């Protein structure tokens, strides 16, 4: 029932039909003795745009020519200008990620969604869905997609799973066949049918289980691919492009794997592939070479592939040389290919009048919305040191969540249980770079600051946990740290492979983290060192936690979904969820209290390691806040090429 209206798909599927129908088939033009016609076909792709469209940093409220789809529009325009035959794709995670997206989702829509406006304006040929397309619920998504003048495909996301993958009732069409007139090297026209199929991480069925109007179901990426690809070929696809909102992954991934691009590329029907989701860049140095992965030539399982970074910082370009068969159901085959990455460059920023003009009303409305003052903060709220010291920003988020739930549970049978609330830093350096930190000075607190402090449209979920489960919850959070050998000097503290949001704190508990121990769980939350414990001295209200104590933990739907995946055997007890968004709860809290923010309680610390020093990457905006970590006696050591300054911390 949430299908994209057939009309919008049919329109683009037949976009070139009128020319194509008048065009003689190539075998009628060419004498039998002629060499096989050859043509080039260029595929251009973006991925994980996260609504980065305009050259404007809404969180900081200032223009930034380095940001947005416009900043790579020059690369897209050049790539199109060089090629006779060109297609432009987006690989998902386009709807969420900045105040423009938050504004578009929370305000009644009269216009097309700004991302769809941008894609329509730039003439995208097709797109697939990423996990974040589901953040705002299915009704919102279907409304957004109705305005797309290009097909949106996804083969493994279903409203109902059938007995086999090919019987699934998919949310949007599993694939599309684009009929395009191409010109071969001799200047002759041909009709080419490009099959486009899309995939998303199957984990979204868990991650988004508690979002409004719930349920989508998902299927393993490879199972869906094996079911639909022969169908795509039978429908006449000459060339097949996979849009995989999925990381590079293993050659032989586990069933249900989140990252399946390499295994997908190995399927015989697929000619070229766009990967994404993990926000890395391929081809390039992000990935080591392996028998299946050629990070220099851009090959996965021998097929040309790209992963174009995130937030419009890169564009992927695949060039296919194709040759016409003389017979057979498949009329063209790929005889050569190359894959590369185009990078945006601020000094070559192109003014993209059509794009920026089309988005002007959305931009103005976002500015007005994001500048609205909600209250004041008495202290600076920042994330520079949120993984190495208690943070006023995280305490405030946790407080807003717990206040909402305390009211909601008053008078229920749960009211007597101790309430805990977790919070984690979402923007804290890492792969997002040295500018990827939240920073709100003391003073007015505006909507854009809230979007910065809590960028995800998650909903609140309250779980019933035992003391033992709470301890493991915190153990999982410590996976962001490397193990530090006592007495070692300048080993890196942060494991950059683990995203900062994994580091959850619970301000209502006090504890220490023993970095000399290996992590009990890895960054995915799997038990890797059953004997190890990093959390020590865990107390609530001054009393040590007993394994059988009962607590209510206020967390979010995404984290609760990860917990279900990490420990499928545990029967998760969701006590309460009213679908309230953390962002709305947060803004209501600030408006109700007027003035918020206080220096954080020192509820956790690293277990002291005399004589031991570790390094920690710090962004350029952190200088005014170094006093927060004075107890580590921080010393700047070296600035890396990305712009992080690595500080020595005395543990
Ligand atoms: Mn993404
Ligand atoms: Mg994603």
């Amino acid at each position: 029932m949430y299908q994209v209206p057939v009309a919008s798909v049919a329109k683009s599927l037949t976009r070139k039909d009128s020319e194509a129908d008048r065009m003689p088939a190539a075998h009628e033009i060419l004498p039998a003795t002629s060499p096989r016609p050859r043509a080039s076909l260029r595929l251009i792709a973006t991925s994980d745009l996260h609504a980065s469209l305009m050259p404007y940093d809404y969180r900081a409220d200032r223009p930034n020519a380095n940001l947005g789809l416009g900043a790579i529009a020059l690369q897209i325009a050049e790539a199109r200008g060089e090629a006779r035959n060109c297609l432009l794709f987006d690989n998902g995670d386009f709807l969420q990620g900045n105040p423009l997206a938050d504004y578009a989702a929370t305000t009644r829509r009269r216009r097309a969604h700004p991302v769809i406006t941008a894609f329509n304006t730039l003439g995208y040929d097709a797109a697939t869905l990423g996990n974040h397309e589901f953040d705002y619920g299915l009704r919102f998504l279907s409304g957004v997609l109705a305005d797309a003048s290009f097909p949106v495909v996804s083969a493994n996301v279903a409203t109902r799973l059938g007995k086999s993958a090919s019987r699934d009732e998919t949310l949007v069409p599993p694939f599309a066949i684009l009929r395009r007139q191409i010109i071969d090297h001799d200047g002759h026209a041909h009709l080419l049918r490009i099959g486009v199929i899309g995939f998303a991480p199957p984990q979204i069925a868990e991650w988004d289980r508690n979002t409004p109007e719930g349920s989508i179901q998902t299927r393993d990426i490879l199972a869906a691919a094996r079911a639909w690809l022969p169908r795509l070929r039978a429908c006449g696809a000459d060339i097949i492009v996979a849009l995989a909102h999925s990381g590079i992954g293993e050659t032989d991934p586990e069933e249900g794997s989140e990252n399946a691009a390499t295994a997908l590329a190995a399927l015989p029907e697929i000619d070229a592939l766009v990967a994404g989701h993990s926000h890395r860049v391929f081809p390039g140095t992000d990935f080591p070479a392996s028998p299946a992965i050629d990070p220099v030539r851009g090959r996965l399982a021998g097929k040309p592939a790209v992963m174009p970074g995130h937030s419009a910082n890169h564009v992927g370009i695949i060039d296919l040389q194709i040759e016409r068969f003389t017979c057979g159901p498949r009329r063209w085959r790929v005889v050569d290919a190359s894959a590369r990455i185009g990078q945006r460059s601020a000094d070559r920023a192109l003014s993209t009048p059509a794009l920026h003009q089309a988005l002007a009303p959305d931009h103005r409305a976002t500015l007005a919305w994001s500048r609205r003052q909600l209250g004041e903060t008495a202290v600076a709220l920042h994330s520079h040191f949120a993984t190495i010291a208690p943070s006023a920003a995280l305490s405030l988020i946790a407080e807003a969540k717990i206040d909402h739930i305390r009211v909601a549970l008053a008078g229920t049978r749960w009211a007597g249980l101790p309430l805990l609330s977790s919070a984690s830093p979402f923007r804290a350096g890492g792969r997002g770079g040295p500018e990827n930190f939240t920073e709100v000075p003391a003073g007015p607190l505006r909507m854009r600051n809230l979007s910065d402090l809590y960028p995800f449209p998650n909903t609140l979920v309250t779980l019933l946990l035992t003391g033992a489960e709470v301890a493991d919850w915190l153990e999982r959070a410590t996976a962001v740290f490397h193990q530090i050998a006592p007495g070692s000097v300048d080993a890196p503290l942060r494991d950059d492979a683990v995203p900062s949001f994994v580091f959850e704190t619970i301000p209502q508990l006090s504890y220490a983290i023993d970095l000399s121990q290996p992590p009990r769980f890895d960054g995915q939350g799997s038990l890797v060192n059953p004997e190890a414990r990093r959390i020590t001295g865990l107390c609530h209200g001054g009393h040590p936690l007993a394994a059988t104590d009962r607590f209510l933990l206020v967390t979010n739907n995404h984290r609760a979904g990860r917990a279900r995946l990490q420990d499928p055997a545990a029967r998760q007890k969701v006590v309460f969820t009213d679908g309230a968004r953390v962002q709305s709860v947060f803004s209501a809290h600030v408006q109700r209290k007027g003035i918020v923010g206080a220096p954080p309680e020192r509820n956790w610390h690293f277990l002291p390691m005399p004589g031991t020093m570790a390094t920690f990457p710090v962004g350029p905006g952190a200088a005014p806040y170094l006093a927060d970590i004075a107890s580590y006696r921080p010393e700047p050591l070296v600035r890396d090429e990305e712009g992080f300054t690595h500080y020595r911390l005395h543990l």
Side-chain angles (χ1 to χ4, degrees), residues 48 50 93 131-132 245 277 279:
D48 296 87
H50 289 283
D93 272 9
N131 45 306
H132 285 294
H245 189 86
H277 183 54
H279 291 201

Side-chain angles (χ1 to χ4, degrees), residues 594-612:
I595 298 175
V596 295
E601 296 203 20
R602 317 300 292 181
N603 70 304
W604 72 269
H605 60 273
F606 293 128
L607 217 56
M609 297 177 73
T612 311

